Amino acid sequence: GAGVSQTPSNKVTEKGKYVELRCDPISGHTALYWYRQSLGQGPEFLIYFQGTGAADDSGLPNDRFFAVRPEGSVSTLKIQRTERGDSAVYLCASSLAGRWDIQYFGAGTRLSVL
Amino acid sequence: DQQVKQNSPSLSVQEGRISILNCDYTNSMFDYFLWYKKYPAEGPTFLISISSIKDKNEDGRFTVFLNKSAKHLSLHIVPSQPGDSAVYFCAAAYSGAGSYQLTFGKGTKLSVIP
């Protein structure tokens, strides 16, 4: 597809479980971003990749959160020992190198931790 | 503490009239400002942006005004159309940080009444 694809669109899990959220960016976009949007809030930055490396992970809330982008394309956000407070919509965005201002967002993965 | 504030959670405007959405920021390091638009069940989409070296940027029906001394920006939509009904997020960035993370406000839900 032409846009940013995120799977699954919805994920329900139990407290303490491990989850993986996948992001497929627009082809040719070297920059990739993860944001988290809680109810009633705007998107909150988590991590930014330039190519395969995490250029800025200052938004990750704690060490239960980890993200990878091994081949510089698809990225996976991993959350260990999920907590109810992790429930949110997780948004992925991508952009062309040098055009960080125009980030293209996916529809997000809605994570519900019971 | 919210670095980007959108104090109006919602706004209703008659079709054909002007919509004015406001945004305030507190971080003096921000030098780039953006507006994103979000429809339900979709990711945010880029609308318009402005650099801190300008005080106005116009794109069709959309104009963004920046008042640096007041740390305030606004988005004007003229004329408003029913298809403009969406949540509008104000976002800011510090381009010199090398991170390109966007800091979002909580959003304003615009309803354009036919």
Side-chain angles (χ1 to χ4, degrees):
Chain A
V4 176
S5 175
Q6 291 188 247
T7 54
S9 53
N10 282 283
K11 176 71 177 177
V12 180
T13 191
E14 293 179 348
K15 180 175 177 295
K17 299 288 188 182
Y18 168 82
V19 296
E20 289 190 352
L21 311 180
R22 176 189 168 107
C23 173
D24 220 317
I26 293 172
S27 177
H29 282 194
T30 58
L32 186 145
Y33 315 78
W34 282 98
Y35 292 84
R36 175 169 73 173
Q37 186 176 13
S38 301
L39 196 61
Q41 304 294 316
E44 178 187 18
F45 171 79
L46 295 176
I47 187 169
Y48 155 62
F49 286 90
Q50 183 55 253
T52 60
D56 181 0
D57 65 358
S58 63
L60 294 177
N62 52 59
D63 61 6
R64 296 187 297 106
F65 288 75
F66 190 71
V68 295
R69 195 185 185 200
E71 296 177 358
S73 178
V74 170
S75 176
T76 304
L77 178 66
K78 309 180 180 197
I79 310 174
Q80 298 178 324
R81 305 182 303 280
T82 51
E83 299 178 357
R84 292 196 178 89
D86 297 336
S87 297
V89 175
Y90 288 80
L91 293 165
C92 176
S94 68
S95 72
L96 289 166
R99 288 314 311 264
W100 58 270
D101 52 324
I102 303 179
Q103 298 181 17
Y104 295 83
F105 283 80
T109 293
R110 181 175 296 278
L111 176 65
S112 300
V113 182
L114 305 180
Chain B
D1 62 332
Q2 280 259 298
Q3 298 186 69
V4 177
K5 300 177 184 179
Q6 294 178 256
N7 292 320
S8 298
S10 63
L11 174 69
S12 287
V13 171
Q14 207 72 32
E15 180 180 3
R17 306 293 288 267
I18 184 171
S19 295
I20 300 176
L21 294 91
N22 293 303
C23 177
D24 298 292
Y25 62 96
T26 58
N27 189 337
S28 301
M29 297 297 287
F30 289 144
D31 61 356
Y32 206 84
F33 304 90
L34 310 94
W35 286 92
Y36 276 76
K37 174 179 175 179
K38 185 182 182 305
Y39 293 117
E42 295 183 9
T45 56
F46 171 78
L47 189 58
I48 192 169
S49 62
I50 187 166
S51 163
S52 61
I53 62 173
K54 296 184 176 181
D55 55 17
K56 176 183 173 181
N57 188 27
E58 191 172 351
D59 183 2
R61 295 185 297 113
F62 304 91
T63 303
V64 57
F65 295 91
L66 175 63
N67 182 333
K68 278 184 11 183
S69 60
K71 294 193 178 69
H72 177 85
L73 60 153
S74 60
L75 174 68
H76 292 211
I77 307 174
V78 183
S80 301
Q81 299 174 352
D84 297 330
S85 296
V87 176
Y88 289 78
F89 290 101
C90 172
Y94 169 42
S95 61
S99 165
Y100 313 125
Q101 57 173 277
L102 300 180
T103 302
F104 286 85
K106 291 186 178 184
T108 296
K109 183 176 182 180
L110 174 66
S111 301
V112 180
I113 304 160

